Amino acid sequence: PRVTMEIHCINGLESKHIVKESDIIFLALIPRGMRLIYPMLEDIAKDHTTHVMSYMNPLVKEKPLIKTGVELSHQPGAQWPLYLYRLDKRDEKEAADEPIGDTQ
């Protein structure tokens, strides 16, 4: 299968139309930014499954699928947190049938 992907480097709070159409979202926000964007993520999850990867700060109301540490070459021994979430606020059967992203 072929996967179609578009990458946007944007301020999600200022580009809500792009965020609302996204299947996978990467966030590098301070805690306040995470609190501000969370209601938008909840709205998206009512429509379709969304995967969210968050660097440094967790989504407080969600349990991550995975939490791991990221090592940086210029900071030996540091483990900066990276979280992966699957957000879905729909019926369980409907959500389980949906693939990640556009496959052709």
Side-chain angles (χ1 to χ4, degrees):
R2 203 173 81 201
V3 176
T4 302
M5 181 186 302
E6 290 182 34
I7 298 174
H8 301 271
C9 184
I10 59 170
N11 178 334
L13 296 171
E14 294 175 357
S15 304
K16 294 178 182 180
H17 63 287
I18 293 173
V19 174
K20 287 183 178 186
E21 295 174 6
S22 300
D23 297 313
I24 302 171
I25 300 169
F26 175 81
L27 301 172
L29 298 171
I30 62 173
R32 180 176 178 273
M34 296 297 277
R35 286 191 304 274
L36 290 172
I37 205 161
Y38 185 75
M40 186 188 321
L41 298 175
E42 280 188 310
D43 285 346
I44 294 167
K46 290 175 187 173
D47 183 49
H48 68 278
T49 302
T50 301
H51 288 79
V52 177
M53 184 171 286
S54 173
Y55 177 66
M56 294 293 287
N57 293 298
L59 291 172
V60 177
K61 296 181 181 181
E62 300 292 334
K63 182 179 176 188
L65 295 172
I66 299 169
K67 177 185 175 190
T68 190
V70 177
E71 294 182 29
L72 302 175
S73 61
H74 67 281
Q75 294 179 322
Q79 289 280 318
W80 300 106
L82 187 66
Y83 305 87
L84 176 63
Y85 301 90
R86 181 178 191 268
L87 302 182
D88 197 319
K89 306 297 182 190
R90 302 173 301 149
D91 171 278
E92 287 184 31
K93 168 138 179 41
E94 182 184 1
D97 294 339
E98 182 179 285
I100 297 174
D102 273 341
T103 57
Q104 298 177 348

